Amino acid sequence: MDKAGSQEPPRLAAAGPDGSALKTVEYKGRFLYSQRNPARTVEAAIERLNLLPETLVIVCSPVLWHGFQKLQSLLPPGCPILALESDENLFSMAKQFMPKNAGTAFFMLKENQKIDRFVRELCRGGKIRRAARIDFSAGIQFAREQFDFTVDSIREIIGTFWKNRVTLMQAGRLFSRNLLRNLKELDGGILLEDMQQTVAKPIIVCGAGEGLDTLPYGAFRPEDFFILAVDAALPSLAKRGITPDAAVALESRIAIEKSYIGLKGKKILLFADLCSRNEVTKIPGGTTVWFASRYCDGTFLDRLQQAKVIEQFAEPMGSVGLAAVYIALKLRNSESVPVFAAGLDFSYSIGATHAKGTQAHTERLSKSSRLVPIENYEASFCQAEQPVTAKNGSTVRSTKLLLSYAAQFTQMFAHQRNLFDCAETGISIGLRQRMLFLPEQPPEISAAKKALPRAGNAMMFCEHEKKALKELKDLLMNGEQSRFRNASIPLEAQISELLAGREYLYLHFPDGHKARTDISFLKRIRAETDYFLKQLEIPRK
């Protein structure tokens, strides 16, 4: 693109031999519409659209908005329109010719944060479930790759939102139950922020994949390293006579408790997510260090931070292996301390899923028979799996979920200094491969930072929640006769105020993307108040 051409403003030109009222635009040496019938191409594209309700229609480079009225007339219910432009001059022209009462959001491509907020707000309101694109002019040719990237990103935001909604429908209630139980353990405890930069030993992060079997156990002394294991890897290490310095708990379901068999009273350090299963924190009997990840976009979590119950949130990682590496990088006292990852394979060989000695492997051994082989072939050839190439060139199996974790790992950690992959199996996760080594300086552990006083913030928060839930329960049961009724505002408004910032009551509902006050929704809320009051009233152990 030459500088002179970039300064030339777009020019309106008559279209059609009969001087039709429709215009075309000449810009940077080309016409952006047909010189005979400017609206024909875009109207034909609109007629080919097969739009479903709740579709975000993305209009690229609208310029003169030819065909826009036809698009509006064919839209199913609940289909908002988002217009995008890449060129400043075309954006100004499109603003000038934008139809009155268009009801359309219009952004430059470079306004990516505004686009992101707009799309996420539509998702949170449950207004869109998919996106469809239509190009309104040849203006897209000036930045086709940018348009493609932005539209793909919008589709990714929408898809991720609804995938997360499915996860919350399945496990959101359990996440919230664990969080409320764990909050009562927080006062007087330790947060991850209190433990930052306290480890000077090289750190080994042990996942539960087959790469854990490739560690040279006889070639290094465990005491020379700070061993941080995901909880699923604990049985495998125990069978090798290794008690790790610390473990990471992220899983919320009861099945993970089997991985802690034999660890009662071992006094190991446990890094536990606030959404992890509360019961497992009692098993090792050592110190629990808490961290928090955002499992939803709810303002409930914002209130925790505002009340100074939690200092900061980690971004949701989904995989305990990612959480373990995140914690290891927080723990090391400088970037010169090496961190080694083993067992973070995000793939598996045919017939195997985990390292030897893990709970999954042990259970497979115990159930094997003449009809049930030790090899777990059903996991290798199920509908969800797919063949992938490992870093050693062999063909292994993986799933879309595992591959998404591997991609997230690469995005989060590939740039980290002195972070190595020391396992021989698994797919590439963006790290340099290197065997275990000790730095030249003798290993030592820095003095632990003094835990910050919490001043009972967590218990105060829990007591406030109990009071609010009791009020909400009484209002839902007794309505205008409730002893908590505030006659200065409508009953519906009072209920809405109590629901605000308490998404844990409904985020697991199929329609729980936002609070409502219709009778069906409130009946379900009434049942949930009993459940969550019970979690808050369980005595602290």
Side-chain angles (χ1 to χ4, degrees), residues 107-359:
F107 300 108
M108 289 282 293
L109 291 183
K110 64 182 180 181
E111 298 178 289
N112 47 31
Q113 292 184 345
K114 290 183 179 179
I115 297 171
D116 185 276
R117 284 196 298 269
F118 175 78
V119 175
R120 291 184 189 278
E121 189 60 34
L122 289 176
C123 289
R124 281 192 289 268
K127 296 179 180 178
I128 55 172
R129 296 179 181 271
R130 60 194 68 83
R133 169 181 173 174
I134 181 166
D135 297 336
F136 261 45
S137 78
I140 64 162
Q141 301 297 338
F142 301 127
R144 178 173 287 278
E145 290 185 359
Q146 295 178 45
F147 277 108
D148 292 345
F149 177 81
T150 302
V151 173
D152 288 344
S153 298
I154 291 172
R155 286 174 172 155
E156 180 68 22
I157 291 171
I158 298 171
T160 300
F161 174 84
W162 288 107
K163 286 177 186 175
N164 292 342
R165 281 296 311 146
V166 172
T167 300
L168 289 174
M169 286 165 55
Q170 295 171 340
R173 195 175 194 238
L174 183 58
F175 294 161
S176 301
R177 172 256 195 199
N178 291 339
L179 186 143
L180 291 177
R181 285 194 175 189
N182 288 330
L183 278 179
K184 292 180 291 184
E185 312 290 332
L186 205 55
D187 286 332
I190 300 176
L191 295 184
L192 178 58
E193 291 79 14
D194 302 324
M195 295 289 293
Q196 287 187 133
Q197 300 180 333
T198 58
V199 176
K201 282 185 178 183
I203 302 174
I204 305 177
V205 176
C206 297
E210 294 172 277
L212 189 62
D213 295 329
T214 67
L215 279 178
Y217 291 100
F220 72 95
R221 297 190 309 165
E223 58 268 26
D224 290 338
F225 295 85
F226 184 92
I227 300 178
L228 178 64
V230 306
D231 45 15
L234 293 172
S236 181
L237 294 174
K239 286 177 172 60
R240 293 177 167 93
I242 297 175
T243 300
D245 297 278
V248 180
L250 191 70
E251 178 59 63
S252 57
R253 293 168 292 187
I254 191 173
I256 197 60
E257 290 190 26
K258 294 180 180 179
S259 294
Y260 292 82
I261 294 174
L263 288 177
K264 190 170 182 64
K266 288 291 185 180
K267 303 292 183 184
I268 65 171
L269 196 63
L270 183 66
F271 291 89
D273 189 287
L274 279 175
C275 294
S276 64
R277 186 163 179 80
N278 174 261
E279 288 78 0
V280 304
T281 63
K282 315 296 191 300
I283 298 174
T287 302
T288 300
V289 180
W290 300 99
F291 66 99
S293 54
R294 296 191 69 98
Y295 66 97
C296 68
D297 288 332
T299 54
F300 165 60
L301 298 179
D302 296 329
R303 290 199 299 117
L304 285 173
Q305 202 164 13
Q306 291 164 6
K308 299 185 178 180
V309 176
I310 295 169
E311 292 183 17
Q312 61 185 31
F313 285 97
E315 62 178 284
M317 289 169 276
S319 165
V320 65
L322 272 72
V325 173
Y326 172 83
I327 290 168
L329 295 174
K330 293 281 188 183
L331 290 178
R332 64 178 180 177
N333 67 0
S334 73
E335 288 187 341
S336 62
V337 175
V339 176
F340 303 93
L344 304 181
D345 292 12
F346 303 109
S347 62
Y348 44 89
S349 58
I350 294 177
T353 57
H354 293 76
K356 295 176 181 177
T358 57
Q359 190 62 35

Side-chain angles (χ1 to χ4, degrees), residues 26-96:
E26 185 179 7
Y27 187 50
K28 295 184 180 179
R30 66 181 303 164
F31 286 98
L32 304 187
Y33 295 96
S34 166
Q35 291 179 267
R36 291 186 174 274
N37 189 341
R40 181 181 56 192
T41 302
V42 66
E43 288 183 349
I46 291 170
E47 290 173 354
R48 290 194 298 269
L49 286 176
N50 184 19
L51 296 176
L52 296 172
E54 298 177 322
T55 298
L56 174 64
V57 180
I58 305 172
V59 171
C60 296
S61 192
V63 190
L64 298 181
W65 302 86
H66 291 326
F68 186 74
Q69 290 183 343
K70 186 178 187 68
L71 174 64
Q72 285 184 310
S73 68
L74 296 178
L75 284 182
C79 287
I81 300 175
L82 169 64
L84 301 174
E85 184 54 81
S86 64
D87 186 279
E88 294 276 4
N89 291 328
L90 294 180
F91 182 79
S92 297
M93 175 174 275
K95 291 285 283 187
Q96 177 184 350

